[in-house]
Amino acid sequence: MIARLRGLLDSASETACIVDVGGVGYQLFCSARTLRALPRVGEAVKLFVETHVREDHIHLYGFASESERAWFNLLQTVQGVGAKVALGILGSLATDELTRALAAGDKAMLTRCDGVGPKLAVRLITELKDKLGGLELGAASIGLPEAGAVAEAPGAVADALSALVNLGYKRADAFAAVTVAARSMGDKADVSALIRLGLKELAK
């Protein structure tokens, strides 16, 4: 599974970009926000990647930050939200804006997003609001972990823990979930998989 790509930006469209890595062009579907943040064609670029494998295709989704990728996965735990809608939401709202909208139950802000109608907005709030505990609403550092919070967790575990805390989970709950995920995966654990399994643990 591809979790991150570093290369040269080959081209970009309204929905995707192509990153040249050692002569191989990888097409990544991205949110409008990530596409706007891309450098000029020919310049170096690094994107976090989520790989979706289906019977009829393999799609790569690219993200400017680990936090955006974590939100992409979390949003898809809600019925009616697929990859396209998740990208539409992330293209319309920054992650801190999305956090505030969900915590405040702001349906109007959510319905500004592509693919989100009133019913889906209510579902997003209902299913995700309880996962946003411990946030300091309106602060510039919404969801950031406390200094030294992940010092005891090496490598991928630390990165996954940081991503879950950025989503608003309490540090202790996130650490327990990632620990269970890491134990079940062993040496094969990577950040993306740890986040996905951690979210499943937190949803139980």
Side-chain angles (χ1 to χ4, degrees), residues 28 30 75 95 138-139 150-151 159 181 192:
L28 297 98
C30 306
L75 287 167
T95 54
V150 296
D159 291 340
S192 180

Side-chain angles (χ1 to χ4, degrees), residues 9 11-18 27-31 35 38 60:
L9 182 63
S11 62
S13 67
E14 292 183 357
T15 59
C17 67
I18 296 177
Q27 182 182 48
L28 297 98
F29 297 96
C30 306
S31 71
L35 290 170
L38 291 174
L60 302 179

Side-chain angles (χ1 to χ4, degrees), residues 66-67 70 158-168 191 195:
E66 185 71 68
S67 176
D159 291 340
L161 174 58
S162 178
L164 292 179
V165 173
N166 286 341
L167 288 176
V191 176
I195 292 171

Side-chain angles (χ1 to χ4, degrees), residues 62-136:
F63 307 95
S65 68
E66 185 71 68
S67 176
E68 187 186 26
R69 182 171 67 174
W71 267 110
F72 177 74
N73 287 317
L74 180 62
L75 287 167
Q76 290 180 88
T77 65
V78 177
Q79 182 182 359
V81 178
K84 184 177 181 179
V85 173
L87 288 180
I89 293 171
L90 293 169
S92 299
L93 297 175
T95 54
D96 60 337
E97 293 174 324
L98 180 55
T99 298
R100 287 196 294 270
L102 292 170
D106 191 340
K107 292 183 290 184
M109 180 175 285
L110 292 171
T111 53
R112 285 168 32 198
C113 303
D114 292 340
V116 179
K119 290 184 179 180
L120 182 53
V122 171
R123 195 179 303 131
L124 285 164
I125 292 167
T126 301
E127 297 188 24
L128 299 181
K129 187 174 183 179
D130 289 343
K131 299 179 180 180
L132 305 175
L135 295 175
E136 296 180 8

